[in-house]
Amino acid sequence: MIIVQVKENESIDKALKRFKKKFEKTGVLKELRSRTAFEKNSVRRRNEVIRAAYRERMRSQEEI
């Protein structure tokens, strides 16, 4: 359970932003989406390799 203490004179918007950030860090939504459909381990590994290659290409383009 995520608990966000609202500080004195703090707007609700700031407290909500902190809550959303904490919620994003837990990874609940990401896990929920991954569980909607079964994905074989081989497919999961292949997707990870493709994503890693894409990130590497982007980093190499930034350096140029």
Side-chain angles (χ1 to χ4, degrees):
M1 187 162 140
I2 300 173
I3 298 173
V4 177
Q5 296 289 335
V6 180
K7 299 173 185 170
E8 200 172 315
N9 296 329
E10 182 182 28
S11 68
I12 298 297
D13 293 330
K14 282 191 177 186
L16 186 61
K17 190 173 184 177
R18 280 194 294 128
F19 170 77
K20 286 181 181 180
K21 190 180 282 188
K22 280 187 177 182
F23 183 74
E24 185 71 31
K25 275 188 173 183
T26 60
V28 172
L29 210 54
K30 187 177 181 180
E31 185 177 338
L32 180 69
R33 287 187 181 130
S34 71
R35 288 179 182 228
T36 56
F38 179 74
E39 189 176 42
K40 289 171 43 177
N41 288 337
S42 60
V43 174
R44 186 179 300 141
R45 269 187 251 116
R46 187 182 325 131
N47 287 337
E48 286 177 6
V49 168
I50 291 170
R51 280 191 219 110
Y54 175 77
R55 282 193 303 262
E56 191 62 36
R57 267 187 275 133
M58 289 299 166
R59 286 184 185 136
S60 66
Q61 286 179 356
E62 286 179 357
E63 291 175 359
I64 296 176

